[in-house]
């Protein structure tokens, strides 16, 4: 048997090495500089320790800080480093879990009986960096379940013992670094010395295993970097994010509010926020009308059996509001968790022919899910939200063209709203586990091929993820980066073979036989609430001119010009230009400053000269004075600006 194995690199090149070689060894054979930056390795698609031996032919990708998986591995290792520092500083603590998250990591700690001061986090940060400088290697140890249980029984850590209950013997591993040992699957970076900068960002409470009936632990959120400069830049970005927080701006601009009396997670839209929503809905409805959608309206509740049939009761039952019982015996309703079952029933309301397809139903439908109170956050996580939902019922041969039309619509929306930095994820089946999916193989193959072809033809920057498809069909998700570089999932397009089957939807084909339609789910905004939150934070409340609740503020220099201002505003309203007149007894300088704070796109100053000439003196937000214009001239100028934004 040969002692040589073949390593295939991402560029397709192949290299031979002796069995037992590690990814770090491979990196060193390419470049010592590369080896110094390797944090982990992707081996046959699975992220593993870069120091683990490789004993067979594999494909290999070396992961550095520039890779998301590299960052995640370093942050996971940093969580272990934080736990080591905490055990050194606070003997007697008990450890929960410490995963990496999208931006950093956290660890859940039971400090009961330990003198922990949450106001003095610098001590923990300093201890972490002191331990990091020791460059202690992360060492993986496979361990039997009995030995693992004995270790944590002796340590007296009931949280790790509970985690061990769900693990099978032969699948358990410990990782050690320095004087610290933790139950962990890995992977980890080669040694702690890669961690050069650390910041604990927040201290919060977290119920053990997310159960409100279990003990509340202390959760320390933190982040780490390979360079101090990167931490400094990140903290500056976080400060910007605070200023852009949609909850702060929403309050300042009087867009929405919450009331404990109404209920947690149920936003109340104020007049200006309602205008914003209506503008967004109108914008999408107009685009959908051009694209051949029919608008439908469905109720906020449905019979429980509807969601049992669709499968949503099984999926969302625990996260939904409890069934509504009527006076009738055994009659139960639910606040709807999704719109699609209702649309299926509309499709089924009359016989369909292949000549009728595609059928496209669109609805701004409000749905309800009982999110945990600790997870509620402004508009981004609420209990009642409106989806810009649509469902397309088509033949298998129409899937590609319909999918392409939806992508065009999503791209138009992103462009109009200033979202320029985004990637797309094509989510396909796991070829190794076909039993996870429903539908015919040939249909899946056609749909997957169609989605990939659409992504190519539309010039999308996309990645393919195998195993990320829904059980009912492949999908395409749009991940948008906002002005602060944060990633959000917005638009989604999904092919569904399940619901047409569950609801026994049919159409008569050219062969005069009954066939199942294919269903496409799409939501360019996703949830109106979350979309508006992201939009607010992306533009810091400086909405595109066509969308701004107040597009103009008319600022009379004195009371003498109020009548002229009122006449002017009436004419502008007739031209669909919205705003207000500032009739306060204040100096014009203060009125201008206040309008700037309110982020009003245009300020129209009127005094003696303007009223005599039928004109306005125009100031633009963040720009300043842009000159005097006749009223008619300003109307044309305004509508040209809007048209340019919506091209």
């Amino acid at each position: 048997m040969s002692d040589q194995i073949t390593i295939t690199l991402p560029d397709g090149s192949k290299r031979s090495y002796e069995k037992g070689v590690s990814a770090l060894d491979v990196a060193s054979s390419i470049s010592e500089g590369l080896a110094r930056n390797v944090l982990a390795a992707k081996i046959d698609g699975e992220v593993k320790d870069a120091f683990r031996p490789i004993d067979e032919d594999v494909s290999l990708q070396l992961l550095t800080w520039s890779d998301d998986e590299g960052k995640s591995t370093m942050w996971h290792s940093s969580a272990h480093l934080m736990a080591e520092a905490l055990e050194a500083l606070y003997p007697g603590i008990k450890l929960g879990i410490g995963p990496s998250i999208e931006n950093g990591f956290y660890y859940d700690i039971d400090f009961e009986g330990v003198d922990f001061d949450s106001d003095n986090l610098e001590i923990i940060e300093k201890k972490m960096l002191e331990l990091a400088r020791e460059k202690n290697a992360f060492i993986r140890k496979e361990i039997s379940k009995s030995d693992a249980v004995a270790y944590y029984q002796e340590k007296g850590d009931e949280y790790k013992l509970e985690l061990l209950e769900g693990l099978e013997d032969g699948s358990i591993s410990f990782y050690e670094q320095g004087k610290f040992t933790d139950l962990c699957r890995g992977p980890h970076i080669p040694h702690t010395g890669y961690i050069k900068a650390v910041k604990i960002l927040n201290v919060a409470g977290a119920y053990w295993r997310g159960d409100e009936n279990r003990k509340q632990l202390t959760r320390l959120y933190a982040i780490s970097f390979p360079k101090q400069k990167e931490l400094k830049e990140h903290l500056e970005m976080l400060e910007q994010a605070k200023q852009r927080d949609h909850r702060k701006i929403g309050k300042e601009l009087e867009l929405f509010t919450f009331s404990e009396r109404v209920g947690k997670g149920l936003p109340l839209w104020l007049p200006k926020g309602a205008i914003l929503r209506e503008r967004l809905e109108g914008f999408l409805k107009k685009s959908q009308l051009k694209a051949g959608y029919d608008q439908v309206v469905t109720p906020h509740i449905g019979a429980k059996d509807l969601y049992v049939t669709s499968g949503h009761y099984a999926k969302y039952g625990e996260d939904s509001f409890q069934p509504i019982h009527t006076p009738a015996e055994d009659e139960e309703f639910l606040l709807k968790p999704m719109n699609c079952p209702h649309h299926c029933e509309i499709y089924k309301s009359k016989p369909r022919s292949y000549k009728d397809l595609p059928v496209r139903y669109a609805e701004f439908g409000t749905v309800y899910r009982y999110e945990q109170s600790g997870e509620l956050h402004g508009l981004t996580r609420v209990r009642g939200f409106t989806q810009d939902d649509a469902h397309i019922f088509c033949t298998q041969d129409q899937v590609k063209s319909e999918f392409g039309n939806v992508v065009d619509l999503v791209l138009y929306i992103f462009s109009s709203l200033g979202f320029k930095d985004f990637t797309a994820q094509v989510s396909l089946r796991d070829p190794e586990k076909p039993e996870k999916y429903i539908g015919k193989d040939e249909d899946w193959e056609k749909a997957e091929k169609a989605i990939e072809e659409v992504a190519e033809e539309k010039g999308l920057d996309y990645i393919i993820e195998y195993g990320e498809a829904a059980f009912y069909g492949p999908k395409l998700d749009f991940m948008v980066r906002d002005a602060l570089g944060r990633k959000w999932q917005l638009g989604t397009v999904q092919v569904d073979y399940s619901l047409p089957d569950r609801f026994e939807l049919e159409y008569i084909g050219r062969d005069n036989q009954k066939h199942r339609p294919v269903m496409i789910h799409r939501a360019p905004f996703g949830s109106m609430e979350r979309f508006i939150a992201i939009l607010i934070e992306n533009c810091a409340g400086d909405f595109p001119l066509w969308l701004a609740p107040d597009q103009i503020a008319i600022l009379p220099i004195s009371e003498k010009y109020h009548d002229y201002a009122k006449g002017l505003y009436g004419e502008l309203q007739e031209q669909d230009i919205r705003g207000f007149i500032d009739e306060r007894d204040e100096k014009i300088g203060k009125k201008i400053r206040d309008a700037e704070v309110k982020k009003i796109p245009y300020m129209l100053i009127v005094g003696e000269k303007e009223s005599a000439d039928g004109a306005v003196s125009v100031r633009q937000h963040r720009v300043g004075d842009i000159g005097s214009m006749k009223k008619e001239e300003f109307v044309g100028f305004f509508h040209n600006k809007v048209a340019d934004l919506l091209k």
Side-chain angles (χ1 to χ4, degrees), residues 302-313 332-334 341 503:
K304 178 181 172 182
D305 184 61
L306 176 71
Y307 309 112
V308 171
T309 300
S310 70
H312 289 106
Y313 185 74
E332 290 181 305
F333 288 83
L334 287 180
F503 282 92

Side-chain angles (χ1 to χ4, degrees), residues 34 57 106 148 229 266 273 308 324 327 367 380 510 520 553 570 582 629 643:
L34 173 61
D57 296 349
Y106 69 78
K229 177 187 173 187
L266 299 172
V308 171
I324 303 165
V367 297
T380 59
R510 292 176 184 274
I520 297 176
D582 188 344
M629 300 182 195

Side-chain angles (χ1 to χ4, degrees), residues 552-573:
I552 54 108
I554 300 176
L555 312 180
I557 289 176
S558 72
E559 188 179 351
K560 284 194 299 183
Y561 308 107
H562 283 186
D563 287 344
Y564 177 70
K566 289 174 183 175
L568 170 64
Y569 187 50
E571 293 177 42
L572 295 179
Q573 281 184 306

